């Protein structure tokens, strides 16, 4: 769950079934209550369905009572409005008590700390809450190899069909398959598929009183109720036997069970419903590759029409078709999500391109050229030409740690922040210091940024260079001599030390001299055999490359691609070059 030393805020259970364990407060909202849609389920009749919630806002945590019947307390005081939690505050929900610990104190976590994993809410939770149906999942006793207390009276292996009984009439199976096919033929959304499955079960098994579909949210989690149906709309006694569910999931067997013996005294008893005598079937949903997706469970309270082994055989066949429908719905949703993501990334790419310069500066006696390519749809490399009020031109190149959407978002922040500080500070060094302070205190996480600012003074033909851990520019003179330009003091990357002070250096620019700024996507380009392009190869190519900067940049990109020999690009690639025309 969490590593020792983790800094997430958490609650320590003081009173309750999980006393001594820790509940990490991850995410923006954690709801406590009896309802299965809650993140922390408290199975106590005094607890309301949605009793209380803890909300995180800007690093602070608040507890709010959700109009519960018995209220919520902090330090024995009733919570009438959202209440800020402070270190070691005691939160009480009926008979449950928790102590709050924020991320600075870290409480008393250790490597041996046991955690309570809050349940992740699903889209179907809202549907179940709206239906006002309470579906507790009973923990029951753990299943061993020999379970003589579960009232299991028949099993069928649902994994290969080898246990399916051939005595069931083929016309019955066919009619059931046609019935389930009718319900599932035109639905692809998982939240439509599951209710359709339950509707079909009620048609095929008219004695059914309750039915559930439980699915696993993630591979290592227990299945959760995703859809449920009761013949009586006001039924508030629906429950799922975790004992039966776990055994069906573990063994891959469909199970027929009964909660009471076939004592004839109960067959016509008027108190049958009150005694909760029931017949239950549970069939695992097993994917073609063998993964357990979940289970279908169906229950009747009428022992005069209790389920039989033929019914169980039929449910196994129905479960196979339902599994196909669920897999198809999941694949359909995955495809839709991928298409939506690709569309969003395409838009993000266009937005990011909009941040980059659409033309080079028009400066007498100077030529400029550039190239940018993200390793993914969007990237974290950045470059810009910023025209300062006194005629100077700031050429900035930066590389955000990482790639993809997170790096691109920080790149967008860097674009506006760099312009602001260069336009408001007197020197490039002060601008870099201000930029670093802003990035370091912005709460953007532990990402750092290497950055180089080269401010060109066209009148004096000088470059003022300041670097925050970025790769040194490469300069080539008119005679073809090449050198790396090391500043007087290359500082640490942006975002590491908030009060870091940067130092700038001044370099004269001779006639015909070319400067090349770049990111490590160039030098770390890789062959299929993992050989790195490297800075020495880059210097050697620039030494003999075309004289004009536009041709030089294009030829450098071609040389990098030729070196990589089709190997996928591992990092964003950015090159900016400028030259004092002789």
């Amino acid at each position: 769950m969490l590593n020792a030393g983790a800094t997430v805020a958490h609650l320590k259970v003081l009173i309750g079934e999980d006393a001594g364990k820790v509940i990490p407060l991850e995410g923006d909202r954690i709801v406590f209550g009896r309802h299965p849609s809650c993140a922390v389920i408290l199975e106590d009749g005094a607890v309301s369905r949605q009793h209380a919630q803890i909300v995180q806002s800007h690093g602070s945590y608040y507890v709010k009572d959700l109009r519960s019947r018995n209220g919520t307390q902090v330090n024995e005081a009733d919570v009438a409005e959202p209440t800020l939690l402070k270190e070691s505050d005691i939160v009480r929900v009926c008979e449950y008590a928790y102590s709050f610990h924020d991320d600075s104190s870290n409480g008393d976590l250790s490597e041996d700390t046991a955690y309570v994993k809050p349940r992740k809410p699903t889209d179907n939770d809202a549907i179940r809450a709206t239906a006002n149906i309470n579906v507790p999942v009973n923990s029951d006793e753990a299943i061993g190899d020999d379970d003589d207390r579960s009232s299991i009276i028949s099993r069928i292996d649902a994994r290969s069909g080898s246990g399916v009984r051939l005595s069931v009439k083929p016309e019955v199976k066919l009619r059931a398959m046609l019935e389930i096919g009718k319900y599932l033929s035109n639905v692809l959304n998982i939240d439509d598929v599951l209710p359709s499955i339950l509707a079909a079960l009620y048609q095929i098994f008219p004695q059914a009183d309750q039915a559930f579909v439980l699915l696993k949210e993630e591979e290592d989690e227990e299945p959760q109720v995703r859809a449920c149906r009761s013949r009586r709309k006001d039924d508030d006694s629906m429950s799922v036997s975790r004992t039966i569910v776990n055994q069906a999931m573990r063994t891959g067997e469909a199970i027929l069970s009964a909660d009471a013996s076939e004592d004839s005294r109960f067959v016509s008893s008027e108190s049958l419903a009150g005694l909760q005598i029931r017949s239950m079937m549970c069939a695992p949903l097993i994917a073609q590759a063998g993964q357990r997706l979940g289970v279908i469970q169906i229950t009747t309270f009428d022992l005069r029409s209790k389920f039989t082994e033929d019914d169980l055989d039929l449910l196994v066949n129905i479960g196979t078709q339902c599994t196909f429908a669920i897999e198809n719905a999941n694949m359909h949703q995955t495809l839709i999500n991928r298409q939506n993501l690709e569309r969003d990334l395409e838009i993000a790419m266009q937005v990011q391109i909009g941040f980059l310069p659409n033309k080079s500066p028009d400066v007498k006696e100077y030529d400029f050229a550039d190239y940018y390519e993200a390793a993914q749809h969007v990237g974290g490399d950045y470059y810009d030409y910023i025209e300062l009020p006194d005629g100077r031109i700031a050429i900035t190149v930066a590389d955000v740690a990482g790639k993809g959407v997170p790096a691109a978002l920080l790149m967008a922040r860097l674009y506006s922040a760099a312009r602001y500080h260069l336009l408001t500070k007197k020197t490039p060094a002060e601008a870099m210091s201000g930029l670093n302070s802003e990035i370091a205190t912005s709460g953007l996480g532990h990402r750092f940024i290497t950055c180089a600012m080269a401010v060109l003074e066209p009148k004096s033909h000088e470059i003022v260079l300041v670097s925050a851990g970025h790769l040194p520019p490469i300069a080539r003179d008119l005679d073809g001599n090449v050198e790396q330009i090391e500043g007087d003091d290359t500082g640490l990357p942006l975002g590491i030390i908030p009060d870091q002070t940067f130092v700038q250096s001044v370099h004269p620019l001779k006639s015909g001299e070319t400067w090349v700024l770049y990111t490590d996507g160039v030098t770390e380009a890789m062959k299929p055999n993992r050989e790195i392009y490297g800075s020495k190869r880059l210097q050697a190519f620039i030494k003999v490359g075309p004289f004009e900067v536009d041709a030089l940049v294009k030829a450098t990109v071609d040389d990098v691609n030729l070196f990589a020999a089709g190997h996928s690009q591992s990092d964003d690639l950015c090159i900016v070059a400028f030259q004092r025309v002789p």
Side-chain angles (χ1 to χ4, degrees), residues 244-262:
I244 300 296
V245 169
N246 286 345
Q247 177 139 334
M249 291 288 289
R250 179 172 59 86
T251 65
E253 294 178 331
I255 297 169
L256 171 64
S257 73
D259 284 350
S261 64
E262 298 183 12

Side-chain angles (χ1 to χ4, degrees), residues 34-36 49 128-136 202 207-212 228-240 273-274 276-278 299-301:
R34 284 191 298 114
H35 198 275
R49 294 190 180 190
R128 294 202 304 275
T130 303
N132 198 34
I133 297 176
N134 185 28
V135 190
Y202 269 58
Q207 73 269 46
D209 287 302
Q210 296 175 353
F212 308 90
C228 56
R229 180 166 177 163
S230 174
R231 192 167 295 282
R232 294 173 294 173
K233 293 183 178 180
D234 60 346
D235 189 355
D236 197 35
S237 63
M238 300 177 69
S239 62
V240 176
Q276 293 294 289
I277 300 173
R278 58 184 177 177
T299 302
T300 179
F301 295 121

Side-chain angles (χ1 to χ4, degrees), residues 415-426:
Y415 168 84
S416 59
R419 283 179 166 259
Y420 170 77
H421 289 287
L422 279 164
L423 289 168
T424 58
K425 300 298 191 298
K426 293 181 180 179

Side-chain angles (χ1 to χ4, degrees), residues 474 480 482 533-545 559:
I474 296 174
V482 171
Y533 187 83
S535 61
K536 290 185 178 179
R537 182 183 178 97
L538 178 60
Q539 293 178 58
F541 183 81
I542 291 174
K543 180 179 179 67
V544 300
D559 190 62

Side-chain angles (χ1 to χ4, degrees), residues 183-379:
Y183 279 89
L184 299 180
S185 59
N186 296 317
V187 289
L188 281 174
N189 186 297
I190 189 70
D191 290 329
D192 295 330
V193 167
L194 301 182
S196 296
I197 290 173
L198 298 183
L201 289 176
Y202 269 58
Q203 292 296 319
I204 297 168
F205 300 106
Q207 73 269 46
D209 287 302
Q210 296 175 353
F212 308 90
V213 178
L214 292 85
L215 296 179
K216 296 175 72 171
E217 302 293 337
E218 296 181 9
E219 183 61 30
D220 59 343
E221 291 186 348
E222 290 187 341
Q224 302 294 333
V225 176
R226 288 292 304 272
C228 56
R229 180 166 177 163
S230 174
R231 192 167 295 282
R232 294 173 294 173
K233 293 183 178 180
D234 60 346
D235 189 355
D236 197 35
S237 63
M238 300 177 69
S239 62
V240 176
S241 170
R242 182 65 72 184
T243 297
I244 300 296
V245 169
N246 286 345
Q247 177 139 334
M249 291 288 289
R250 179 172 59 86
T251 65
E253 294 178 331
I255 297 169
L256 171 64
S257 73
D259 284 350
S261 64
E262 298 183 12
D263 192 324
S264 59
R265 293 175 299 171
F266 298 117
V267 173
S268 59
S269 172
E270 293 181 356
S271 62
L272 187 65
L275 291 172
Q276 293 294 289
I277 300 173
R278 58 184 177 177
S279 174
M280 178 191 301
M281 295 189 296
C282 183
L285 301 172
I286 303 176
Q288 297 182 60
Q291 308 98 312
R292 272 64 160 176
L293 304 181
V295 300
I296 295 175
Q297 181 175 303
I298 184 169
T299 302
T300 179
F301 295 121
D302 187 355
L303 288 188
R304 291 165 296 188
S305 301
K306 63 182 181 295
F307 297 123
T308 66
E309 292 186 357
D310 286 352
D311 292 328
L312 185 64
D313 178 275
L314 194 56
L315 185 62
V316 170
N317 286 271
I318 293 170
T320 300
Q321 193 165 351
C322 292
T323 300
F324 290 151
I326 291 170
E327 286 190 290
N328 287 338
N330 286 337
M331 287 188 290
H332 177 71
Q333 188 60 49
T334 298
L335 179 60
I336 290 176
N337 292 343
R338 183 180 295 119
Q339 291 173 340
N340 291 339
L341 177 61
E342 289 177 353
R343 183 196 64 222
D344 292 345
L345 288 174
E346 187 69 26
I347 295 172
M349 180 176 67
Q350 296 302 320
V351 171
Q352 185 176 44
I353 290 174
F355 283 116
L356 301 176
N358 55 17
K359 64 178 182 178
S360 301
D362 184 10
V363 180
K364 186 178 180 180
E365 298 186 60
Y366 284 89
D367 284 338
F368 299 82
D370 49 69
Y371 178 86
Y372 179 92
E373 182 181 2
Q376 301 177 5
H377 284 78
V378 291

Side-chain angles (χ1 to χ4, degrees), residues 444-465:
L444 296 173
H446 299 291
R447 292 183 177 270
F448 62 85
I449 305 168
T450 65
C451 182
M453 291 180 179
V455 180
L456 170 64
E457 172 53 79
K459 296 179 181 178
S460 63
H461 303 297
E462 290 180 331
I463 289 288
V464 179
L465 177 66

